[in-house]
Amino acid sequence: MTTLVTRPEAVVEPPEEAHGPSGLVKWITSTDHKVIGRSYTITAFLFFLVAGSMAIIIRTQLASPDNTIVSQHVYNELFTMHGSVMLYLFAGPFAFGGLANFIVPLQIGAPDMAFPRLNALSYWLYLSGGIIMLLGFVTTSGAADFGWVAYAPLSNSINTPGAGPDMWIVALVLTGFSAIFTGVNICATVFYLRAPGLTMFRMSIFTWNMLVTAILILIAFPVLTAALVMLWCDRHIGSHIFTVAGGGVPVLWQNLFWFFGHPEVYILALPYFGAVTDVLAVFSRKPVFGYKGMIFATIAIAALSTSVWAHHMFTTGTVLLPFFSIMSYLIAVPTGIKFFNWIGTMWRGSITFNTPMLFAVGFLVVFLFGGVTGIFLASPPVDFAMHDTYFVVAHFHEVLFGTVVFGGFSALTYWYPKYTGRMLNDFLGKISFWLMFIGFWVTFVPQYLLGEAGMPRRIAEYLPNMGWTTLNRVSTAGAYMLFLSVAVMLVNFVEAWRRPIPAGDNPWDAHTLEWATSSPPPHHNFYWIPPIRSERPVWDHYHPEHPVEREHPPRTGGDEVAAARSTARPDSRAQFGSAATARGSVNPEGPSHEPRAAGDPGDDHEGQS
Amino acid sequence: MADAAAALERPHLRGHPSAERPQMLAVGVMIWLGSEFMFFSGLFAAFFTIRANAKVWPPPGTHLDTYQALVFTFVLLASSPTMQFAVWAQEKGQFQKAKAWIIVSLILGTAFLANQAYEWKTLPFRPRTNAYGSLFYIMSGLHGLHVALGLVAMIALLGRLAGSKGDPGETAVFQAVSYYWHFVDIVWIGLFSALFLLS
């Protein structure tokens, strides 16, 4: 068994034709999911750097008591925009814009997304929303400074006047539409454009998670849009939805916002869960342990996430504590199932610790601890003590940083060869990982302790006699380590660009369909698709020595099937290659309309459809 | 009927399972309407929360012409079947008939919007009067925006009928607009019940 495998030589790839314009015009006019996906990834990564820089300023300000590096007003803008840019412009779009666009059509053997022009619209809405949000900084009022949750009545026109907050509202509506359209697109793509033989229960966990995320987006984001529209009306036409004066209800904003906000946490997390699942399986050389359990756990998390929003509002005194507490605890069950499945996937595998795998394992550790502190906070008595302290800050950073940054870097380093056709430097990747992993704990463990010591979140200054100085210093040092880690990752990208190491089709010996095509893939993605008989079609093709595990008993039954299974497989592999070539290629107009796997002799014996 | 039409448009796929599936565009619009449903749910959540917190509902001084609104509710609801007749005519290739039914739907929808404009002009309360006024104008306004977008879509369908006939994607476009229009009409039933009958 070799690690670097190639596709059958029978596959003749026609020379890549020029498709339309190139350069800037191509970037602006393209409806190709790979171009859009790449744009999303790069844009989201730039927003990550912007929001990360804000975090560095925040941590520098907090390094010493009574610090005045930034004014209190600017500090409020910084933590608001740090949260908003990270959550709305980086964490979500990096996975659900970038990875979803680039990887999902490839993983299901499709030539593009279901609605390519809608997809382009999504990207441009997202980019304009992001720019509008950041442009708030150049208005006279400054950017939005009411926190990323914009609680009423702080966010009304009396307490937070000016154009900056309005631009924040508009930016969120635009990125919200972008997410909704991508959600529609992903659903239609997964329902309609799967390659012949790729049943729902043969899709990779990553694609499954993207589908569930898409549905969750369709449930959660429109509610935020509705709330934002009402907030805008309150600010501009003098309506009284969130103001007590005319009979409105301020806490209604919290209900509406968190009905979006809690599913949003899973909208951010589930795509990375999926990516990490793929990575763990690939680098353990094993199928995903508990494949269906993983899918049902994802669906259960998504379903539960719509009924836990009020655990953000325990201290408002307006919510039914036992109900929301129990529902929040329940989420630990499917998440626990996922954890055992992740461990089971690695168990007794032949694990190699390449950069993506290191980040994936780092994700497991970090997210586990974040999840456990989440169980503390789901208990109302603990929450009453810890609410709005640094304990909460440390908790959600551990959960979000764990999934989005560790999971995201795992996904990015894993799929980088498919995006660019080049390998990243594994050594630099490992340095970056260890800096991040150590820096992470150095940053956030002191914040748990600070929370227990009573330090409230969102304060720009504290007194020297509070006893918080040392822990804040340590936390700031950790933040600089994180900054360094990202810098090493950037150096790695530059190195890969300056001194390319060709990746080949399938450098990781992975098992999902995107690794069957070239890196980067040609215009319509596939000239050849292997027969799909399990959730690991590429592995089945390159490793005929491992028979496919069947989901259903063979229809014809009896000894002849066993015989066919042991003898016909190498044949079937060779013949499929030639059959595929004879047919030219996968029909770029839509592979799902093609009669499935014509000419595959294995077809008669496979009892599934 | 939709399936039969889809099969007609793709004769090379007749008998193949994919020919039996509903069209991708129509399904995509249905999925998107799910998100629209959640959007209006957010507005209804605001309505019922504020109503539950109010001592008197509606606040004193709220005067509505419920009967006139009821008449125009039926006008809007009547436009749903007329839109559906247009889709069925288009599926059968009767383009003149389809065009006539769309024009009827367009007139009904415009009449509804005209009544809404009249209401907005004559009602004694404004968004800033009280929370009921805010909800009334925001909810009916956002619904009116949806109606207006539906009318624009109908005009686009008329434009499409003016061009070359038998465009293979055409039925899906008609179905998509009709799904949207039915959705807008059904939402109005909820809005009318909340804003007029419960007030």
Side-chain angles (χ1 to χ4, degrees):
Chain A
M1 196 200 320
T2 52
T3 43
L4 253 175
V5 281
T6 49
R7 284 170 290 150
E9 284 162 31
V11 180
V12 182
E13 284 182 16
E16 183 73 344
E17 296 157 41
H19 287 278
S22 60
L24 190 67
V25 180
K26 177 189 172 192
W27 178 60
I28 290 172
T29 59
S30 180
T31 55
D32 182 354
H33 75 99
K34 295 184 292 296
V35 176
I36 296 170
R38 219 174 265 139
S39 305
Y40 256 117
T41 306
I42 295 168
T43 315
F45 200 84
L46 289 176
F47 282 128
F48 169 66
L49 297 179
V50 169
S53 313
M54 293 181 199
I56 294 294
I57 303 174
I58 290 171
R59 277 319 316 169
T60 311
Q61 162 80 6
L62 291 176
S64 314
D66 290 331
N67 217 345
T68 51
I69 292 173
V70 291
S71 70
Q72 298 205 344
H73 179 68
V74 171
Y75 185 86
N76 289 351
E77 287 174 40
L78 282 174
F79 73 67
T80 300
M81 296 308 274
H82 165 73
S84 302
V85 174
M86 278 290 187
L87 290 167
Y88 302 122
L89 302 181
F90 162 62
F94 185 78
F96 200 72
L99 296 176
N101 261 309
F102 197 95
I103 303 298
V104 167
L106 289 172
Q107 276 199 342
I108 62 172
D112 205 322
M113 295 281 265
F115 308 113
R117 277 180 287 185
L118 184 69
N119 200 19
L121 177 65
S122 285
Y123 173 72
W124 293 105
L125 284 174
Y126 158 63
L127 182 66
S128 30
I131 291 171
I132 288 172
M133 190 187 282
L134 285 180
L135 279 181
F137 276 110
V138 300
T139 59
T140 46
S141 64
D145 58 352
F146 38 47
W148 76 279
V149 293
Y151 276 179
L154 180 60
S155 54
N156 68 19
S157 56
I158 299 160
N159 295 316
T160 321
D166 290 331
M167 289 163 86
W168 183 89
I169 292 171
V170 171
L172 245 59
V173 171
L174 292 179
T175 50
F177 272 118
S178 149
I180 289 167
F181 293 153
T182 307
V184 171
N185 230 329
I186 291 281
C187 285
T189 306
V190 170
F191 293 154
Y192 271 78
L193 297 183
R194 278 172 287 127
L198 189 64
T199 58
M200 289 298 273
F201 281 110
R202 286 180 189 168
M203 294 196 312
S204 79
I205 297 289
F206 176 78
T207 302
W208 256 108
N209 281 23
M210 282 299 183
L211 177 63
V212 176
T213 308
I215 294 167
L216 213 45
I217 280 184
L218 296 174
I219 293 171
F221 265 88
V223 178
L224 175 70
T225 311
L228 288 168
V229 169
M230 290 188 278
L231 179 63
W232 190 89
C233 289
D234 269 15
R235 290 172 63 88
H236 289 277
I237 63 170
S239 61
H240 299 286
I241 307 290
F242 303 119
T243 52
V244 182
V249 182
V251 81
L252 169 66
W253 169 266
Q254 290 194 36
N255 275 301
L256 290 175
F257 181 85
W258 287 115
F259 183 84
F260 149 79
H262 203 82
E264 163 77 352
V265 174
Y266 292 97
I267 289 167
L268 303 181
L270 290 178
Y272 299 101
F273 286 3
V276 163
T277 310
D278 275 15
V279 168
L280 289 174
V282 165
F283 290 92
S284 305
R285 296 282 174 277
K286 279 180 64 189
V288 173
F289 180 85
Y291 170 79
K292 282 191 180 171
M294 211 66 164
I295 292 165
F296 290 125
T298 305
I299 295 171
I301 288 176
L304 285 171
S305 77
T306 57
S307 54
V308 299
W309 76 90
H311 69 210
H312 298 269
M313 303 163 54
F314 281 161
T315 55
T316 59
T318 60
V319 298
L320 187 61
L321 299 180
F323 174 80
F324 286 105
S325 177
I326 289 167
M327 294 308 277
S328 307
Y329 280 131
L330 274 181
I331 288 199
V333 177
T335 316
I337 291 172
K338 277 179 172 285
F339 259 97
F340 285 115
N341 283 344
W342 282 324
I343 295 167
T345 302
M346 289 189 288
W347 199 262
R348 290 186 157 181
S350 32
I351 299 177
T352 45
F353 281 103
N354 297 79
T355 313
M357 184 62 170
L358 275 178
F359 275 109
V361 176
F363 152 81
L364 287 189
V365 178
V366 171
F367 184 74
L368 178 66
F369 279 82
V372 168
T373 52
I375 291 177
F376 294 180
L377 289 173
S379 155
V382 179
D383 184 75
F384 274 76
M386 294 301 179
H387 189 75
D388 269 349
T389 67
Y390 260 80
F391 190 88
V392 176
V393 175
H395 157 69
F396 70 70
H397 274 94
E398 189 147 45
V399 178
L400 286 168
F401 199 108
T403 42
V404 176
V405 184
F406 281 93
F409 276 29
S410 173
L412 186 63
T413 48
Y414 173 59
W415 278 304
Y416 191 87
K418 192 49 68 183
Y419 268 74
T420 60
R422 294 162 182 192
M423 299 300 286
L424 285 171
N425 184 321
D426 210 40
F427 178 71
L428 281 177
K430 282 174 181 168
I431 292 182
S432 165
F433 167 77
W434 284 111
L435 275 173
M436 182 172 286
F437 191 71
I438 297 165
F440 178 82
W441 295 105
V442 176
T443 311
F444 292 107
V445 168
Q447 293 189 9
Y448 281 120
L449 302 175
L450 282 169
E452 281 176 329
M455 179 169 166
R457 62 192 287 203
R458 295 179 171 170
I459 52 161
E461 290 157 33
Y462 54 92
L463 294 173
N465 61 5
M466 296 283 199
W468 300 337
T469 315
T470 317
L471 286 171
N472 267 308
R473 286 252 159 89
V474 176
S475 181
T476 302
Y480 292 158
M481 277 179 85
L482 293 176
F483 181 80
L484 205 60
S485 148
V486 176
V488 172
M489 189 53 86
L490 288 176
V491 170
N492 205 343
F493 294 149
V494 174
E495 275 296 294
W497 172 64
R498 283 179 55 209
R499 278 187 279 277
I501 313 162
D505 291 357
N506 188 4
W508 312 119
D509 199 10
H511 52 248
T512 41
L513 271 184
E514 76 271 29
W515 302 102
T517 185
S518 60
S519 311
H523 187 64
H524 272 297
N525 295 350
F526 293 97
Y527 291 112
W528 168 85
I529 284 185
I532 300 164
R533 297 282 170 272
S534 74
E535 79 270 14
R536 309 206 304 158
V538 175
W539 180 274
D540 295 341
H541 177 75
Y542 287 129
H543 299 277
E545 71 274 16
H546 296 160
V548 181
E549 285 177 34
R550 282 155 200 250
E551 300 151 43
H552 309 291
R555 206 184 301 151
T556 42
D559 295 337
E560 90 236 50
V561 177
R565 188 181 182 180
S566 57
T567 58
R569 186 141 296 278
D571 277 5
S572 118
R573 173 191 175 196
Q575 287 182 26
F576 186 87
S578 55
T581 325
R583 282 186 287 129
S585 67
V586 174
N587 179 7
E589 298 306 317
S592 67
H593 296 160
E594 212 170 57
R596 52 180 272 273
D600 180 5
D603 234 11
D604 306 329
H605 303 293
E606 304 284 342
Q608 72 285 84
S609 61
Chain B
M1 176 152 289
D3 294 349
L8 272 180
E9 279 171 9
R10 290 178 287 175
H12 60 291
L13 289 175
R14 196 172 290 145
H16 187 265
S18 67
E20 307 297 318
R21 306 169 90 185
Q23 299 228 5
M24 191 161 73
L25 176 67
V27 170
V29 167
M30 281 251 189
I31 295 169
W32 172 66
L33 287 177
S35 82
E36 285 282 296
F37 177 81
M38 289 308 296
F39 174 76
F40 282 101
S41 302
L43 298 177
F44 277 107
F47 177 86
F48 285 106
T49 307
I50 289 174
R51 181 170 178 266
N53 275 275
K55 288 192 183 66
V56 191
W57 191 262
T62 308
H63 172 75
L64 293 161
D65 195 341
T66 309
Y67 291 109
Q68 187 184 327
L70 186 66
V71 169
F72 280 92
T73 299
F74 282 114
V75 167
L76 185 67
L77 291 185
S79 71
S80 252
T82 58
M83 186 64 212
Q84 195 56 45
F85 291 146
V87 175
W88 286 338
Q90 198 280 342
E91 281 172 357
K92 290 188 195 121
Q94 301 159 338
F95 299 115
Q96 284 312 313
K97 209 170 154 191
K99 192 188 253 177
W101 280 121
I102 287 177
I103 291 171
V104 172
S105 314
L106 200 59
I107 292 168
L108 292 172
T110 313
F112 175 83
L113 269 192
N115 174 60
Q116 195 171 57
Y118 174 77
E119 269 179 347
W120 277 35
K121 202 166 156 35
T122 52
L123 282 175
F125 56 88
R126 287 281 161 257
R128 56 176 72 242
T129 311
N130 51 38
Y132 176 80
S134 313
L135 285 167
F136 181 89
Y137 282 94
I138 292 174
M139 292 171 90
S140 63
L142 286 168
H143 179 264
L145 183 67
H146 279 79
V147 174
L149 288 175
L151 297 180
V152 171
M154 285 180 195
I155 293 169
L157 286 186
L158 288 177
R160 194 141 186 171
L161 279 174
S164 59
K165 304 287 188 285
D167 174 350
E170 198 156 274
T171 301
V173 179
F174 272 71
Q175 288 169 347
V177 175
S178 77
Y179 293 158
Y180 174 81
W181 193 249
H182 299 326
F183 171 82
V184 168
D185 287 0
I186 290 165
V187 166
W188 179 251
I189 297 177
L191 282 173
F192 177 74
S193 312
L195 293 176
F196 288 87
L197 301 183
L198 285 179
S199 299

